[in-house]
Amino acid sequence: MPEFDEHGFYSSYSTEAARAVKYRNHNAGLFQQLRGAAVVNGQVSDLTPKVRAYVEENIDLCHPDRVHICDGSERENGYLIQLMQQQGTIMPLPKYQNCWLARTNPADTARVESKTFICTEERSETIPTPKEGIKGTLGNWMSPKKMDEAIKERFTGCMRGRTMYVVPFSMGPIVSPLSKIGIELTDSPYVVASMRIMTRMGEAVLNKLQETDEFVKCLHSVGVPANGFIEMASWPCDPERTIILHKPKNNEIVSYGSGYGGNSLLGKKCFALRIGSTIAKREGWLAEHMLILGITNPKGEKRYIAAAFPSACGKTNLAMMTPSLPGYKVECVGDDIAWMRFDKNGVLRAINPENGFFGVAPGTSTKSNPIAMSTIFKNTLFTNVASTSDGGVFWEGMEDEIQPGVTVTDWRGQRWTKDSKSPAAHPNSRFCTPASQCPIIDPQWEAPEGVPISAILFGGRRPTGVPLVYEARDWKHGVLIGAAMRSEATAAAEHKGKIIMHDPFAMRPFFGYNFGHYLQHWLSMSNKSSNLPKIFHVNWFRKSSEGKFLWPGFGENARVLDWILKRLDNEDCAEETPIGLVPKRGGINLEGLSEKVDMQQLFGLSKNFWLEEVFAIEKYFKEQVGQDLPEDLVRELSGLKKRVEAM
Ligand code: OXD
Ligand code: MN
């Protein structure tokens, strides 16, 4: 057990309520008060006037009993871990070093897109106007007035009896000019412990704020269920009234009712993507749902690639790939988000604003991602995976990795066997683990200036029609490819079934402003450089007519990256097709591939399929983007249509 406060403060309390009594009885002189709440950690004087005002305003709203200003220390983390164990939020996983398992309320396991809003004066700032009678799918708008009402209704007094944690965090290395700071106010120790992994969190950020005093405001509460019963709930939440709000004008995020990471770790989707994309638009850069990897070829030449795939489509696997091609090396900069900006030489530079991986656990195995498996078994907070009788974790995909005789308890706490009808781990169960533990973390992953991006990949799960890889004809065509992205639905949000959904730029749930304006912003990037990255589309998931994957994927995807690298060197290994450039016969290195691949089927282009695809894109743009679709993209799409018609 860790040691706590020099006054023996934390160690002697068994519940938050008992601590509260102790606080009240404690020598008043020892603790500062802030608007009537006891400051139980940190110094009010460490807060800049702006941060202090933000904290005070929200103490007045939420009425916490205590305020804890987070310093990010080991000691603080030890205290939070002990507290969460006492509250039943987490349990230890003694098989590993400093690993913990949280089981959420079964009603709080994923992002809630339908309850996520962007708040602007004008609706058209947030979303394109869909065609009459059509439901818009490119985000949800709310007026600032309604936002204020929603906040008041939910947050008034919602932290009574609880502690408000003040979490100072940096998205990106604290010293990087590309980074941004946030202050998250939350009543969830789980959020604090996770933010410590996923961001640079604590004292150093408060110090940095003394220089800039600019931050994104992030208010979060797990909420008080309508019956008001919160005391000692192991996973308090309020699914009925959950709401996630963003006000770009004020750089402000407000999230209520959910502890699930995508809704509660506000640095990630809410800040780094939604508010981030609005800041990026204003400041002339890009905040994207992309992994970043470095790849070195056998000649020792290194390039960096950014890739946008929808949630749960293998970004983490690609970012940590073990290449099957001899002499190749992949190193990981980030697995989910890229902030990218052209430097004064016209080079697109990217940072990973995160500090950890919040990866989907099921499917991760020694076969699919050995690097992730050697990253996650220390200092990791697992959520909604299954547990084993030898103190470890289990999920679908780990069948070959548990010892004989070991029994499994599923994510709901029920005994599980191979014959159970439901999965052992929730399909959206996660590991939250420090990026620095990744054995192939790129040496430049924290470079303040970012890494130079040579190629951008778009992709998704497309079982039919879409070839393994193709290259955009130019930047504008690349923007069309990003805008036209489609993929099978995943478990990361509340969608059901395997329908093919439009997910432009893998950003559909994460746009902070009108998608049409976003497209214009992407198009405008071409003025910033004469040396733009090349754009590609990849699809590891094409299936044969018998329903089998046509491409082995995983480490073999290095063969596709190898072709992409050759294209970056302008090698003559591609040929034109109506949809873009594809590898010439023999262009993809298949040497040493253990299984035979039907390249004919893998790259086959069907006129009917592509006519339907163009039709679907046209319909989507018409219905969802309407007048906001930039002219350049109207022309690009009609160019594609003509080429496909002439097939
Ligand atoms: C994620 C997501 O958690 O995209 O990364 O949902
Ligand atoms: Mn993601």
Side-chain angles (χ1 to χ4, degrees):
M1 278 295 157
E3 267 182 48
F4 300 133
D5 198 297
E6 50 290 14
H7 311 292
F9 202 64
Y10 299 139
S11 50
S12 51
Y13 300 98
S14 55
T15 65
E16 267 229 292
R19 280 177 52 219
V21 172
K22 186 92 179 195
Y23 279 124
R24 274 201 291 278
N25 295 342
H26 207 274
N27 176 355
L30 256 181
F31 297 100
Q32 306 160 77
Q33 298 264 326
L34 203 54
R35 313 291 293 180
V39 179
V40 296
N41 197 74
Q43 297 293 324
V44 175
S45 57
D46 288 346
L47 306 179
T48 63
K50 241 165 101 176
V51 175
R52 180 175 173 156
Y54 177 56
V55 175
E56 287 183 336
E57 180 193 315
N58 286 294
I59 294 175
D60 289 350
L61 176 66
C62 306
H63 297 297
D65 284 14
R66 297 166 293 284
V67 173
H68 175 130
I69 302 168
C70 296
D71 53 31
S73 64
E74 275 300 335
R75 191 192 68 143
E76 177 181 80
N77 193 52
Y79 157 64
L80 293 171
I81 293 286
Q82 193 187 47
L83 178 65
M84 284 190 281
Q85 275 183 274
Q86 286 163 352
Q87 293 177 335
T89 309
I90 59 169
M91 59 184 230
L93 293 164
K95 187 169 173 185
Y96 319 118
Q97 187 193 326
N98 190 28
C99 287
W100 307 89
L101 168 60
R103 290 201 188 111
T104 72
N105 181 316
D108 188 22
T109 57
R111 285 184 288 101
V112 281
E113 291 174 13
S114 59
K115 298 176 178 192
T116 300
F117 297 85
I118 309 289
C119 307
T120 49
E121 288 298 339
E122 301 299 326
R123 183 193 166 98
S124 60
E125 294 169 74
T126 293
I127 39 176
T129 309
K131 193 170 153 185
E132 229 182 279
I134 300 285
K135 189 180 166 336
T137 56
L138 285 161
N140 304 308
W141 171 77
M142 188 182 275
S143 72
K145 185 166 170 283
K146 283 225 45 199
M147 172 170 170
D148 289 346
E149 285 165 15
I151 293 172
K152 215 162 163 195
E153 192 219 316
R154 290 167 176 79
F155 280 84
T156 305
C158 71
M159 294 187 191
R160 252 185 247 286
R162 289 177 176 159
T163 302
M164 172 190 276
Y165 298 91
V166 178
V167 185
F169 65 97
S170 174
M171 297 313 289
I174 296 177
V175 293
S176 170
L178 305 182
S179 299
K180 303 270 176 204
I181 287 176
I183 298 285
E184 178 158 351
L185 308 179
T186 178
D187 51 12
S188 161
Y190 169 87
V191 167
V192 181
S194 307
M195 288 293 281
R196 183 169 181 265
I197 296 172
M198 293 306 296
T199 71
R200 282 88 177 167
M201 185 276 257
E203 203 176 318
V205 180
L206 281 184
N207 294 341
K208 177 78 183 172
L209 274 165
Q210 301 287 348
E211 286 164 34
T212 64
D213 212 8
E214 234 186 74
F215 61 93
V216 172
K217 297 171 174 174
C218 306
L219 173 63
H220 169 254
S221 172
V222 291
V224 185
N227 66 11
F229 186 76
I230 53 165
E231 203 52 41
M232 300 319 295
S234 64
W235 189 268
C237 58
D238 187 2
E240 298 279 301
R241 297 195 301 163
T242 292
I243 200 159
I244 324 286
L245 305 163
H246 308 71
K247 197 190 260 186
K249 197 170 148 209
N250 297 6
N251 282 346
E252 185 180 359
I253 300 158
V254 178
S255 166
Y256 174 91
S258 167
Y260 169 73
N263 304 321
S264 69
L265 311 182
L266 300 186
K268 194 174 181 61
K269 303 299 183 184
C270 299
F271 178 167
L273 291 177
R274 297 195 192 96
I275 291 293
S277 64
T278 66
I279 300 174
K281 168 85 173 9
R282 287 200 294 272
E283 296 181 354
W285 50 278
L286 298 167
E288 300 300 328
H289 192 201
M290 291 181 180
L291 68 90
I292 309 165
L293 63 81
I295 177 161
T296 308
N297 72 10
K299 287 188 241 159
E301 295 156 346
K302 183 164 190 180
R303 302 275 201 170
Y304 288 94
I305 294 175
F309 307 155
S311 307
C313 280
K315 283 207 297 299
T316 307
N317 288 349
L318 183 61
M320 298 182 191
M321 188 221 284
T322 306
S324 63
L325 273 183
Y328 274 83
K329 182 163 83 175
V330 164
E331 286 162 299
C332 173
V333 177
D335 78 330
D336 196 41
I337 298 173
W339 281 359
M340 306 190 286
R341 195 189 282 250
F342 285 98
D343 69 13
K344 59 181 187 322
N345 302 316
V347 176
L348 186 61
R349 298 232 157 229
I351 62 163
N352 167 14
E354 300 192 280
N355 191 47
F357 306 118
F358 183 64
V360 178
T364 309
S365 67
T366 305
K367 183 162 170 278
S368 69
N369 193 339
I371 299 294
M373 293 299 270
S374 51
T375 303
I376 60 180
F377 294 120
K378 52 182 191 271
N379 309 315
T380 298
L381 189 44
F382 293 92
T383 303
N384 285 341
V385 300
S387 56
T388 56
S389 52
D390 61 347
V393 291
F394 175 79
W395 50 72
E396 281 56 36
M398 276 182 78
E399 290 77 5
D400 296 339
E401 315 202 16
I402 52 169
Q403 305 302 317
V406 159
T407 58
V408 174
T409 302
D410 75 9
W411 69 280
R412 294 169 188 260
Q414 307 297 321
R415 178 73 195 277
W416 183 91
T417 68
K418 285 193 193 81
D419 301 325
S420 299
K421 296 266 178 309
S422 52
H426 187 280
N428 192 35
S429 54
R430 300 279 175 149
F431 51 78
C432 179
T433 197
S436 58
Q437 290 181 184
C438 176
I440 59 159
I441 198 72
D442 191 82
Q444 291 300 305
W445 85 284
E446 298 194 279
E449 70 282 11
V451 297
I453 298 295
S454 303
I456 293 173
L457 275 48
F458 295 120
R461 280 177 194 270
R462 297 303 304 267
T464 56
V466 179
L468 178 65
V469 58
Y470 63 98
E471 178 186 331
R473 297 149 62 94
D474 55 23
W475 185 261
K476 275 184 200 163
H477 180 220
V479 175
L480 173 69
I481 292 173
M485 271 172 66
R486 300 171 76 197
S487 188
E488 261 179 4
T490 73
E494 69 264 59
H495 310 293
K496 298 273 175 314
K498 290 208 157 194
I499 46 167
I500 304 283
M501 294 175 63
H502 287 271
D503 192 351
F505 289 79
M507 281 286 282
R508 188 193 44 75
F510 310 121
F511 292 120
Y513 63 99
N514 184 317
F515 171 53
H517 305 169
Y518 168 95
L519 289 173
Q520 195 58 58
H521 184 57
W522 260 80
L523 290 167
S524 76
M525 289 295 133
S526 63
N527 305 324
K528 290 193 186 272
S529 174
S530 51
N531 184 21
L532 292 161
K534 278 186 192 280
I535 298 178
F536 299 82
H537 187 281
V538 296
N539 174 29
W540 320 134
F541 302 98
R542 191 165 185 179
K543 288 183 173 166
S544 67
S545 33
E546 292 84 46
K548 290 226 170 71
F549 285 114
L550 285 162
W551 178 249
F554 303 109
E556 305 297 0
N557 293 337
R559 298 171 191 277
V560 176
L561 298 189
D562 165 60
W563 180 75
I564 289 172
L565 293 187
K566 288 192 272 187
R567 291 299 300 146
L568 296 180
D569 289 336
N570 292 316
E571 256 187 54
D572 178 20
C573 55
E575 63 192 15
E576 294 246 9
T577 74
I579 66 164
L581 294 118
V582 299
K584 274 187 177 169
R585 211 189 155 84
I588 298 242
N589 180 354
L590 297 179
E591 222 178 287
L593 196 58
S594 55
E595 55 188 275
K596 191 155 167 34
V597 171
D598 184 340
M599 297 297 271
Q600 208 78 18
Q601 273 202 66
L602 189 57
F603 280 95
L605 291 179
S606 139
K607 178 171 178 174
N608 275 347
F609 173 88
W610 278 95
L611 277 177
E612 276 175 34
E613 186 72 3
V614 169
F615 177 71
I617 301 164
E618 228 171 23
K619 180 166 181 286
Y620 180 68
F621 285 171
K622 231 178 238 154
E623 291 183 351
Q624 295 289 333
V625 200
Q627 296 299 313
D628 290 318
L629 188 70
E631 267 306 306
D632 273 339
L633 288 187
V634 176
R635 273 193 293 275
E636 277 302 321
L637 184 57
S638 98
L640 173 64
K641 188 175 184 177
K642 282 201 191 98
R643 296 194 300 273
V644 171
E645 279 168 350
M647 264 167 96

